[in-house]
Amino acid sequence: DTAVSQTPKYLVTQMGNDKSIKCEQNLGHDTMYWYKQDSKKFLKIMFSYNNKELIINETVPNRFSPKSPDKAHLNLHINSLELGDSAVYFCASSQTGAGADTQYFGPGTRLTVL
Amino acid sequence: DQQVKQNSPSLSVQEGRISILNCDYTNSMFDYFLWYKKYPAEGPTFLISISSIKDKNEDGRFTVFLNKSAKHLSLHIVPSQPGDSAVYFCAASGWGNFNKFYFGSGTKLNVKP
């Protein structure tokens, strides 16, 4: 039974399109995250939500909009996709969001923008 | 500006020998350090952690060492096994609520049978 799941696993799309990536966790955690793994392989945090409230919002273009309908779900919507958005996007969750909390990651969504 | 750095992109070790993966950080406010392991096409999975009040934490074949004065930590795997072949990410965060994890770029470990 998957703890943190993401759909789709692969996403290939044209520049200018709008796409969404969905994330669900069944761990009962309060905090969820979106990370981007860029071409240099660094995992960089984009957003964090705690109980549906936005907690961390890094310097991310406004084209990226996270939405948390409930604390088990955190979706990522991307408008007007650009070539530079091509990356692997990971969703994660943790119990409380404290610095000492272990974060549990989903399998990732590989986004390719053509 | 990367606050956590893993300067070795890859490491190759013979089965049964010790693997040592290194990580450096720049922010002296970091209080908590973790290692994650990642297989291809999977998300990172937690391996071992250490808080800044300790200088060593051991879990089976895995030991993490922290040198706060040098802002350096290392992960030792003894003995290394072929199943340990993966990418290892170092991460660091502060101790308070809603702290961000800062990840390094990973070291790809290959354990040869």
Side-chain angles (χ1 to χ4, degrees), chain A residues 76-111:
Chain A
L76 183 65
H77 189 75
I78 315 170
N79 289 327
S80 304
L81 278 155
E82 300 178 358
L83 292 176
D85 297 332
S86 295
V88 182
Y89 292 84
F90 288 97
C91 176
S93 73
S94 68
Q95 185 66 58
T96 66
D101 254 4
T102 299
Q103 293 185 13
Y104 295 84
F105 284 80
T109 296
R110 181 174 292 278
L111 171 64

Short mmCIF file of all heavy atoms in Angstrom, two decimals, chain A residues 76-111:
data_model
loop_
_atom_site.label_atom_id
_atom_site.label_comp_id
_atom_site.label_asym_id
_atom_site.label_seq_id
_atom_site.Cartn_x
_atom_site.Cartn_y
_atom_site.Cartn_z
N LEU A 76 -0.32 20.05 -7.78
CA LEU A 76 0.50 21.13 -8.35
C LEU A 76 0.02 21.42 -9.76
O LEU A 76 0.02 20.53 -10.62
CB LEU A 76 1.97 20.72 -8.37
CG LEU A 76 2.97 21.77 -8.87
CD1 LEU A 76 3.00 22.97 -7.92
CD2 LEU A 76 4.37 21.17 -9.00
N HIS A 77 -0.42 22.65 -9.97
CA HIS A 77 -0.88 23.05 -11.29
C HIS A 77 0.14 24.00 -11.90
O HIS A 77 0.62 24.92 -11.22
CB HIS A 77 -2.25 23.74 -11.21
CG HIS A 77 -2.86 23.99 -12.54
ND1 HIS A 77 -3.43 23.00 -13.30
CD2 HIS A 77 -2.93 25.13 -13.26
CE1 HIS A 77 -3.86 23.52 -14.44
NE2 HIS A 77 -3.58 24.80 -14.44
N ILE A 78 0.47 23.77 -13.16
CA ILE A 78 1.46 24.60 -13.82
C ILE A 78 0.85 25.19 -15.09
O ILE A 78 0.38 24.44 -15.96
CB ILE A 78 2.73 23.81 -14.20
CG1 ILE A 78 3.19 22.92 -13.05
CG2 ILE A 78 3.85 24.77 -14.59
CD1 ILE A 78 4.27 21.93 -13.41
N ASN A 79 0.82 26.50 -15.16
CA ASN A 79 0.28 27.20 -16.34
C ASN A 79 1.40 27.55 -17.30
O ASN A 79 2.56 27.75 -16.91
CB ASN A 79 -0.41 28.50 -15.92
CG ASN A 79 -1.71 28.25 -15.19
OD1 ASN A 79 -2.42 27.29 -15.48
ND2 ASN A 79 -2.01 29.11 -14.25
N SER A 80 1.05 27.65 -18.57
CA SER A 80 1.97 28.16 -19.61
C SER A 80 3.35 27.52 -19.49
O SER A 80 4.36 28.20 -19.29
CB SER A 80 2.09 29.68 -19.50
OG SER A 80 0.82 30.28 -19.60
N LEU A 81 3.39 26.23 -19.62
CA LEU A 81 4.64 25.49 -19.40
C LEU A 81 5.75 25.98 -20.30
O LEU A 81 5.55 26.31 -21.48
CB LEU A 81 4.38 23.99 -19.62
CG LEU A 81 3.79 23.30 -18.41
CD1 LEU A 81 3.02 22.06 -18.81
CD2 LEU A 81 4.89 22.97 -17.41
N GLU A 82 6.96 26.01 -19.73
CA GLU A 82 8.16 26.45 -20.44
C GLU A 82 9.17 25.31 -20.46
O GLU A 82 9.10 24.39 -19.65
CB GLU A 82 8.76 27.67 -19.73
CG GLU A 82 7.84 28.86 -19.68
CD GLU A 82 8.46 30.03 -18.92
OE1 GLU A 82 9.59 29.90 -18.41
OE2 GLU A 82 7.79 31.09 -18.85
N LEU A 83 10.13 25.42 -21.39
CA LEU A 83 11.15 24.37 -21.51
C LEU A 83 11.87 24.14 -20.18
O LEU A 83 12.17 23.00 -19.81
CB LEU A 83 12.17 24.75 -22.59
CG LEU A 83 11.68 24.77 -24.04
CD1 LEU A 83 12.78 25.25 -24.97
CD2 LEU A 83 11.18 23.39 -24.46
N GLY A 84 12.14 25.22 -19.46
CA GLY A 84 12.88 25.13 -18.20
C GLY A 84 12.12 24.45 -17.08
O GLY A 84 12.68 24.17 -16.02
N ASP A 85 10.84 24.18 -17.31
CA ASP A 85 10.05 23.47 -16.29
C ASP A 85 10.31 21.97 -16.35
O ASP A 85 9.88 21.23 -15.45
CB ASP A 85 8.56 23.73 -16.50
CG ASP A 85 8.20 25.19 -16.35
OD1 ASP A 85 8.91 25.92 -15.60
OD2 ASP A 85 7.21 25.63 -16.97
N SER A 86 10.99 21.51 -17.37
CA SER A 86 11.31 20.09 -17.48
C SER A 86 12.18 19.68 -16.30
O SER A 86 13.24 20.26 -16.06
CB SER A 86 12.05 19.80 -18.79
OG SER A 86 11.23 20.05 -19.91
N ALA A 87 11.71 18.69 -15.56
CA ALA A 87 12.39 18.26 -14.33
C ALA A 87 11.61 17.08 -13.77
O ALA A 87 10.58 16.68 -14.31
CB ALA A 87 12.42 19.40 -13.29
N VAL A 88 12.13 16.55 -12.66
CA VAL A 88 11.36 15.56 -11.91
C VAL A 88 10.79 16.26 -10.69
O VAL A 88 11.53 16.92 -9.95
CB VAL A 88 12.22 14.36 -11.48
CG1 VAL A 88 11.36 13.33 -10.74
CG2 VAL A 88 12.89 13.71 -12.69
N TYR A 89 9.51 16.12 -10.49
CA TYR A 89 8.83 16.76 -9.36
C TYR A 89 8.45 15.68 -8.34
O TYR A 89 7.81 14.69 -8.68
CB TYR A 89 7.58 17.50 -9.85
CG TYR A 89 7.93 18.70 -10.71
CD1 TYR A 89 8.18 18.55 -12.07
CD2 TYR A 89 8.05 19.97 -10.15
CE1 TYR A 89 8.53 19.63 -12.85
CE2 TYR A 89 8.39 21.06 -10.94
CZ TYR A 89 8.64 20.88 -12.29
OH TYR A 89 8.99 21.96 -13.06
N PHE A 90 8.88 15.92 -7.10
CA PHE A 90 8.61 14.97 -6.02
C PHE A 90 7.67 15.61 -5.01
O PHE A 90 7.86 16.74 -4.57
CB PHE A 90 9.89 14.57 -5.29
CG PHE A 90 10.80 13.67 -6.08
CD1 PHE A 90 11.87 14.20 -6.78
CD2 PHE A 90 10.57 12.31 -6.13
CE1 PHE A 90 12.71 13.38 -7.51
CE2 PHE A 90 11.42 11.48 -6.86
CZ PHE A 90 12.48 12.02 -7.55
N CYS A 91 6.69 14.83 -4.62
CA CYS A 91 5.82 15.19 -3.51
C CYS A 91 6.35 14.47 -2.27
O CYS A 91 6.94 13.38 -2.37
CB CYS A 91 4.40 14.73 -3.83
SG CYS A 91 3.20 14.98 -2.54
N ALA A 92 6.17 15.06 -1.10
CA ALA A 92 6.59 14.43 0.15
C ALA A 92 5.63 14.81 1.25
O ALA A 92 4.85 15.77 1.11
CB ALA A 92 8.02 14.86 0.51
N SER A 93 5.67 14.06 2.35
CA SER A 93 4.87 14.42 3.50
C SER A 93 5.66 14.14 4.77
O SER A 93 6.59 13.34 4.77
CB SER A 93 3.54 13.64 3.52
OG SER A 93 3.76 12.28 3.87
N SER A 94 5.29 14.82 5.84
CA SER A 94 5.89 14.55 7.15
C SER A 94 4.82 14.76 8.21
O SER A 94 3.81 15.42 7.98
CB SER A 94 7.10 15.44 7.42
OG SER A 94 6.73 16.79 7.57
N GLN A 95 5.08 14.22 9.41
CA GLN A 95 4.07 14.22 10.46
C GLN A 95 3.64 15.64 10.84
O GLN A 95 2.46 15.97 10.81
CB GLN A 95 4.61 13.49 11.69
CG GLN A 95 3.58 13.34 12.80
CD GLN A 95 2.44 12.44 12.38
OE1 GLN A 95 2.65 11.29 12.02
NE2 GLN A 95 1.22 12.95 12.42
N THR A 96 4.62 16.49 11.19
CA THR A 96 4.26 17.82 11.68
C THR A 96 4.87 18.96 10.88
O THR A 96 4.38 20.07 10.93
CB THR A 96 4.72 18.00 13.14
OG1 THR A 96 6.16 17.97 13.17
CG2 THR A 96 4.16 16.91 14.03
N GLY A 97 5.95 18.69 10.15
CA GLY A 97 6.64 19.76 9.43
C GLY A 97 7.82 20.30 10.20
O GLY A 97 8.53 21.19 9.74
N ALA A 98 8.06 19.78 11.40
CA ALA A 98 9.21 20.23 12.18
C ALA A 98 10.51 19.81 11.50
O ALA A 98 10.53 18.83 10.75
CB ALA A 98 9.16 19.65 13.59
N GLY A 99 11.57 20.53 11.81
CA GLY A 99 12.85 20.27 11.15
C GLY A 99 13.36 18.86 11.38
O GLY A 99 14.09 18.33 10.56
N ALA A 100 12.95 18.24 12.50
CA ALA A 100 13.43 16.89 12.80
C ALA A 100 12.53 15.80 12.25
O ALA A 100 12.78 14.62 12.43
CB ALA A 100 13.56 16.73 14.30
N ASP A 101 11.46 16.19 11.56
CA ASP A 101 10.54 15.20 11.02
C ASP A 101 11.10 14.55 9.77
O ASP A 101 11.59 15.24 8.87
CB ASP A 101 9.23 15.90 10.62
CG ASP A 101 8.12 15.60 11.58
OD1 ASP A 101 8.36 14.91 12.58
OD2 ASP A 101 7.01 16.05 11.31
N THR A 102 10.98 13.24 9.69
CA THR A 102 11.35 12.55 8.47
C THR A 102 10.33 12.87 7.39
O THR A 102 9.13 12.86 7.63
CB THR A 102 11.39 11.03 8.70
OG1 THR A 102 12.37 10.75 9.70
CG2 THR A 102 11.73 10.29 7.43
N GLN A 103 10.82 13.14 6.20
CA GLN A 103 9.93 13.37 5.07
C GLN A 103 9.88 12.10 4.22
O GLN A 103 10.90 11.48 3.94
CB GLN A 103 10.42 14.55 4.23
CG GLN A 103 10.32 15.87 5.00
CD GLN A 103 10.67 17.07 4.16
OE1 GLN A 103 10.77 17.02 2.94
NE2 GLN A 103 10.86 18.20 4.83
N TYR A 104 8.67 11.73 3.83
CA TYR A 104 8.44 10.54 3.02
C TYR A 104 8.07 11.00 1.61
O TYR A 104 7.15 11.79 1.44
CB TYR A 104 7.30 9.70 3.61
CG TYR A 104 7.65 9.14 4.97
CD1 TYR A 104 7.48 9.91 6.12
CD2 TYR A 104 8.16 7.85 5.11
CE1 TYR A 104 7.81 9.41 7.37
CE2 TYR A 104 8.48 7.35 6.36
CZ TYR A 104 8.31 8.13 7.48
OH TYR A 104 8.65 7.64 8.71
N PHE A 105 8.80 10.48 0.63
CA PHE A 105 8.68 10.96 -0.73
C PHE A 105 7.85 10.03 -1.61
O PHE A 105 7.85 8.80 -1.45
CB PHE A 105 10.07 11.11 -1.37
CG PHE A 105 10.81 12.32 -0.90
CD1 PHE A 105 11.47 12.31 0.32
CD2 PHE A 105 10.84 13.48 -1.66
CE1 PHE A 105 12.15 13.45 0.78
CE2 PHE A 105 11.51 14.61 -1.22
CZ PHE A 105 12.17 14.59 0.00
N GLY A 106 7.17 10.64 -2.57
CA GLY A 106 6.52 9.89 -3.62
C GLY A 106 7.53 9.46 -4.67
O GLY A 106 8.71 9.82 -4.59
N PRO A 107 7.10 8.72 -5.68
CA PRO A 107 8.02 8.19 -6.69
C PRO A 107 8.49 9.21 -7.71
O PRO A 107 9.39 8.94 -8.49
CB PRO A 107 7.20 7.09 -7.36
CG PRO A 107 5.80 7.53 -7.19
CD PRO A 107 5.73 8.23 -5.87
N GLY A 108 7.88 10.38 -7.71
CA GLY A 108 8.29 11.41 -8.65
C GLY A 108 7.47 11.42 -9.93
O GLY A 108 6.90 10.40 -10.34
N THR A 109 7.37 12.60 -10.53
CA THR A 109 6.73 12.78 -11.84
C THR A 109 7.76 13.43 -12.76
O THR A 109 8.23 14.53 -12.48
CB THR A 109 5.49 13.68 -11.74
OG1 THR A 109 4.51 13.04 -10.94
CG2 THR A 109 4.93 13.98 -13.12
N ARG A 110 8.10 12.73 -13.82
CA ARG A 110 9.07 13.29 -14.77
C ARG A 110 8.32 14.10 -15.82
O ARG A 110 7.56 13.55 -16.61
CB ARG A 110 9.89 12.19 -15.44
CG ARG A 110 10.93 12.74 -16.42
CD ARG A 110 11.83 11.65 -16.96
NE ARG A 110 12.71 11.10 -15.95
CZ ARG A 110 13.86 11.62 -15.56
NH1 ARG A 110 14.29 12.74 -16.14
NH2 ARG A 110 14.59 11.04 -14.65
N LEU A 111 8.50 15.40 -15.77
CA LEU A 111 7.83 16.32 -16.70
C LEU A 111 8.81 16.70 -17.80
O LEU A 111 9.92 17.17 -17.52
CB LEU A 111 7.36 17.57 -15.96
CG LEU A 111 6.82 18.72 -16.82
CD1 LEU A 111 5.56 18.30 -17.56
CD2 LEU A 111 6.56 19.95 -15.96
#
